[in-house]
Amino acid sequence: MMKTQDFYYHLPEELIAQDPLEDRSSSRLMVLNKETGKIEHHIFKEIIEYLKEGDCLVINDTKVIPARLIGEKEGTGAKIELLLLKRKQDDVWETLVKPGKKAKPGTRIMFGNGLLVGEIIDIVEEGNRLIKFYYEGIFEEVLDQLGQMPLPPYITHQLEDKNRYQTVYAKHAGSAAAPTAGLHFTPELLKAIEQKGIKLARVTLHVGLGTFRPVKVEDVTNHHMHSEFYMITEEAARIINETKEKGGRVISVGTTSTRTLESVADERGYVKETSGWTEIFIYPGYQFKCVDALITNFHLPESTLLMLVSALAGKEHIMAAYEEAVKEKYRFFSFGDAMFLM
């Protein structure tokens, strides 16, 4: 049995990055050879030295929506906090509501003095609420005005600039969390990478909060992933498949890009233009079909993301690398440093 506790490591709290760095690409980069376990220490912008002409970088161009809303219950004025998880129909969203006890069907919640009104219409799995919104104008614009970035619970500092929890190539709105491996790239670095003959393939996976859900079962294989929506364009599929054909490496930026590619790849590792929902859960023993290398951040103990990177580079290599990262005082999690598994 593969136990969840096998993926535990001790992390001193002060190593959890609370704020983004001034220069995105100046974070640290640990390079791990997934075959030998050899570790090298670099600055993120030096990743270009490890990328070869003919490789392709697969980036997730999802955009985080300011999904955290704080409002008042109509009638009592009690404070209610919402997190938008998934758009079900135009104005109906699946949400996480705190405190949940007060949020019964029929309850109306006012945001921004009534600029936005939400009515709870149903209770669904895990106690999430379906809410129908009423407003004037364009929902995204109202949300932009009233919503806050849904930072993970381990980040306690206020974010000064909303865009810092957004990749520079974010395009399609729909995520409840950022694909954080992409936060290290600047427009200048991406340009330099393309000039070196490395192609960029853009895919989309809207990150749900299920990504951060702790694994609560003892046996890893019993954990159930939430489904997340993905999209691969014809152009992205062509770039990835041509890279494969010519013997280049498909380098995934982030676990979200990885899960998208592995959800759709055929046995030869080829992908096609498609969209859909994935619940893929990658843990050691999984055979990768499409992804050759991965750029990623440092993940929470006992998380599905730590299991995914262990599947790619081997659990022993990963746990040793994390021990080294703690010893070298790397910064961890969303605003933290990066790792290149090659």
Side-chain angles (χ1 to χ4, degrees):
M1 178 168 94
M2 194 180 310
K3 289 186 173 162
T4 300
Q5 68 201 47
D6 294 341
F7 295 89
Y8 177 80
Y9 67 91
H10 173 65
L11 180 69
E13 206 173 301
E14 67 270 16
L15 296 185
I16 299 174
Q18 289 293 336
D19 302 288
L21 295 179
E22 195 63 42
D23 167 18
R24 290 172 184 259
S25 62
S26 67
S27 45
R28 291 161 79 187
L29 175 71
M30 177 186 280
V31 178
L32 175 67
N33 182 314
K34 60 187 201 301
E35 309 307 326
T36 65
K38 180 173 176 256
I39 291 170
E40 293 173 32
H41 302 285
H42 289 273
I43 299 297
F44 189 82
K45 54 172 78 85
E46 294 167 355
I47 191 146
I48 193 161
E49 295 164 24
Y50 288 92
L51 306 177
K52 306 185 191 96
E53 188 179 342
D55 287 344
C56 112
L57 274 189
V58 182
I59 57 181
N60 179 5
D61 65 4
T62 185
K63 195 171 189 179
V64 186
I65 56 174
R68 193 166 162 247
L69 285 163
I70 294 166
E72 294 176 354
K73 187 173 167 182
E74 192 177 60
T76 67
K79 183 180 150 185
I80 290 190
E81 185 176 324
L82 278 199
L83 198 57
L84 303 180
L85 297 178
K86 232 182 245 173
R87 182 177 241 151
K88 291 296 197 183
Q89 288 137 17
D90 277 353
D91 291 322
V92 177
W93 285 75
E94 184 178 332
T95 66
L96 193 64
V97 179
K98 291 197 301 202
K101 290 187 190 71
K102 297 189 172 130
K104 296 181 172 58
T107 303
R108 285 166 64 89
I109 309 162
M110 321 292 281
F111 304 96
N113 296 328
L115 271 181
L116 182 66
V117 178
E119 183 179 349
I120 297 173
I121 53 177
D122 202 2
I123 299 178
V124 289
E125 61 167 335
E126 294 186 7
N128 290 347
R129 305 301 200 262
L130 285 188
I131 294 193
K132 183 168 171 66
F133 287 105
Y134 301 91
Y135 52 91
E136 281 183 15
I138 298 166
F139 182 73
E140 283 71 17
E141 288 178 3
V142 175
L143 188 62
D144 215 35
Q145 198 178 334
L146 301 177
Q148 299 171 11
M149 279 301 190
L151 293 180
Y154 48 76
I155 292 178
T156 54
H157 291 191
Q158 276 288 312
L159 185 61
E160 298 299 318
D161 173 7
K162 268 187 190 172
N163 287 325
R164 292 312 307 271
Y165 192 57
Q166 208 76 275
T167 61
V168 296
Y169 45 75
K171 188 175 178 192
H172 301 287
S175 275
T180 54
L183 294 177
H184 305 281
F185 289 94
T186 59
E188 296 75 28
L189 181 56
L190 287 167
K191 198 172 165 194
I193 286 170
E194 286 190 287
Q195 282 169 345
K196 194 176 171 180
I198 293 115
K199 294 265 197 314
L200 293 183
R202 293 169 165 80
V203 300
T204 308
L205 179 130
H206 291 323
V207 190
L209 286 185
T211 305
F212 297 110
R213 258 175 80 223
V215 179
K216 294 205 171 106
V217 289
E218 190 192 359
D219 179 353
V220 165
T221 57
N222 291 335
H223 178 74
H224 175 67
M225 296 287 276
H226 279 206
S227 66
E228 295 172 314
F229 182 76
Y230 66 81
M231 211 161 50
I232 295 182
T233 61
E234 188 185 1
E235 187 194 8
R238 181 181 53 74
I239 292 170
I240 292 160
N241 295 339
E242 280 176 5
T243 302
K244 283 262 173 229
E245 267 163 33
K246 293 176 180 161
R249 292 175 301 171
V250 173
I251 301 168
S252 182
V253 176
T255 54
T256 58
S257 303
T258 303
R259 291 177 56 241
T260 303
L261 296 176
E262 294 296 320
S263 294
V264 301
D266 64 18
E267 287 314 307
R268 298 177 10 240
Y270 286 71
V271 298
K272 59 185 192 301
E273 177 187 2
T274 180
S275 66
W277 295 83
T278 180
E279 291 179 1
I280 191 170
F281 177 20
I282 296 174
Y283 51 84
Y286 178 85
Q287 294 296 313
F288 284 83
K289 304 192 288 273
C290 181
V291 173
D292 300 304
L294 170 65
I295 296 167
T296 188
N297 277 22
F298 289 91
H299 305 296
L300 279 80
E302 299 185 340
S303 62
T304 59
L305 306 177
L306 187 54
M307 293 167 190
L308 182 151
V309 295
S310 298
L312 185 65
K315 184 173 155 292
E316 283 69 31
H317 288 341
I318 288 292
M319 296 318 268
Y322 271 57
E323 204 176 309
E324 171 95 351
V326 169
K327 198 177 87 199
E328 293 294 329
K329 296 198 166 23
Y330 271 69
R331 298 161 72 250
F332 279 67
F333 307 163
S334 299
F335 286 140
D337 296 318
M339 215 178 176
F340 183 30
L341 311 177
M342 59 174 278

